[in-house]
Amino acid sequence: MPRTLVVTIVVACALFMENMDSTIIATSLPAIGIDLKQDPVDLKLAFTAYLLSLAIFIPISGWCADRFGARVVFRAAIIVFTIGSICCGLSSSLGEFVAARALQGMGGAMMSPIGRLVLLRSVPKSELLRAFAMLSIPALIGPILGPPVGGFITTYAHWRWIFWINVPIGIIGVILVTLFIPNIKEEAVRPLDKLGFFLSGIGLSTLIFGTTIIGKGLLPPLVVWGLVGLGAALIVLYLLHARRAPHPIIDLSLLRIATFRTNIFGGFLFRLGTGSVPFLLPLMLQIGFGLSAFQSGLLTFCSALGALVMKTTAPPILRRFGFRTILTYNALLSAALLACFGLFTAATSHVVIIAVLLCAGFFRSLQFTSLVSIAYADVEKERMSRATSFVAVSQQLSIASGVAISAFVLEVMREIRGTSELVASDFSMAFAIIALIAAASSLVHRRLPADAGAELTGRRS
């Protein structure tokens, strides 16, 4: 078996644990809320804590890989993620659960960017699109199994087991990484931008955390708005710092590359809309429609199944139509299917729901594959570690923002009705808003050159 294929499979299997965990917890939120005596909507803090931890630590992932080697850091990330999973299963309060999710995020922060970095430094650009598609196939097994497995465990056992099953997976991952992942690192490592790490990490975390808890009464209003203001001020300071720093931790000069820029700005809008689906859809099916966690999981896994089917067809589709056409029009199609989620009712046939979810998963995954591939089309090899960190930060921030916005919409709808209960119609408005945001990404992608990414697909101009 070619070494490139072996490395791709090992990285994908290590990411299996992280992908499966994110979809399992979404299905189990109502049960976790009951056990911890919390409103399920308030459990968005668990989503946000995980994503914010990623946003803080992802920027230094590239530097750590250059300094200590990809194998050492990747293996440590799996160990930290596994310990965080154990702590999640032992949590008895919302505070403990959020802290454990943050620990998981520290481990998850290193997995995806370093896995991509290994491939980017090992695979020729002409084979990069196929490698990324292959990387996603085993990783998608997690989202496919996550909803039904999480629903089954939550319904017939206990939600805590959805975290404890990560332990054997983590042990296997550590063994595989030790045996097969090369310890790639740079001979000349750039200095760590400590001031940039502080400004970006604290700024991003305080801004999004403050935004998430607005109106929840968890802290006095003055403190909440103080966090938002502090976060915004620190981000502005980082932008000023990055223009002068010789080695900024988040290299903003990469935005001068058109193909990279479309991933950051267009991808941010698209993921902000679609990234809230794992939060909204299980809540709608269980709280809005009265389904059990297991029934909800059996339905939602269809979206990941559609994504898995797409992975084998992405390269020929992109070769035929090109990145600009696919990214522009597929964003609109994916957004339209996302808006259809809000039209579901308790009386909607499950056959119809499954069909829509399959189609949505197919086209949404095509968009993700196109975005992650086009990002590195024109990036120089020596800047790859900074590029993977930048992309990963943007991805996680967009998903965190999507969860916060969709949860805010649900809270506003409850306030308008003057009740504390969620009803199915509340989700219709939430899906409509996030679909509009996802559709707006097409305005960014249509500015790409017609031959953008031609080297990746082998497509002639």
Side-chain angles (χ1 to χ4, degrees), residues 202-237:
I202 303 301
L204 291 171
S205 60
T206 53
L207 175 63
I208 296 186
F209 179 72
T211 304
T212 302
I213 63 174
I214 289 176
K216 296 304 298 177
L218 299 177
L219 293 173
L222 185 62
V223 175
V224 174
W225 288 107
L227 288 172
V228 173
L230 175 63
L234 290 175
I235 290 175
V236 171
L237 289 176

Side-chain angles (χ1 to χ4, degrees), residues 300-321:
T300 56
F301 98 102
C302 296
S303 181
L305 185 59
L308 180 60
V309 172
M310 190 287 308
K311 292 303 178 182
T312 59
T313 61
I317 290 175
L318 287 166
R319 190 176 302 114
R320 171 67 179 85
F321 296 102

Side-chain angles (χ1 to χ4, degrees), residues 1-2 55 90 96 153 156 165 236 238 296 302 364 371 414 438:
M1 184 180 293
L90 297 174
E96 293 177 1
I153 291 174
Y156 299 107
I165 62 174
V236 171
Y238 175 78
S296 168
C302 296
R364 187 165 65 244
L371 283 168
R414 289 196 301 190

Side-chain angles (χ1 to χ4, degrees), residues 19-58:
N19 283 294
M20 185 171 180
D21 187 82
S22 63
T23 51
I24 281 182
I25 186 176
T27 306
S28 306
L29 277 183
I32 296 174
I34 293 173
D35 197 35
L36 299 182
K37 298 179 176 60
Q38 297 291 331
D39 185 332
V41 177
D42 289 346
L43 288 175
K44 68 181 179 182
L45 291 175
F47 272 90
T48 305
Y50 181 83
L51 296 172
L52 287 181
S53 190
L54 292 181
I56 292 171
F57 292 100
I58 281 174

Side-chain angles (χ1 to χ4, degrees), residues 96-175:
E96 293 177 1
F97 188 59
V98 170
R101 288 288 288 170
L103 181 60
Q104 274 191 314
M106 292 176 61
M110 302 292 177
M111 290 187 186
S112 179
I114 292 180
R116 289 175 183 169
L117 182 60
V118 170
L119 289 183
L120 288 166
R121 288 178 172 172
S122 307
V123 179
K125 281 193 174 182
S126 58
E127 301 177 18
L128 201 56
L129 179 60
R130 189 174 300 277
F132 275 127
M134 289 173 57
L135 177 66
S136 301
I137 291 176
L140 277 170
I141 297 175
I144 289 175
L145 293 178
V149 169
F152 181 85
I153 291 174
T154 302
T155 302
Y156 299 107
H158 199 283
W159 64 266
R160 297 182 188 279
W161 283 100
I162 68 178
F163 296 103
W164 292 334
I165 62 174
N166 285 336
V167 177
I169 299 174
I171 293 173
I172 294 172
V174 169
I175 295 173

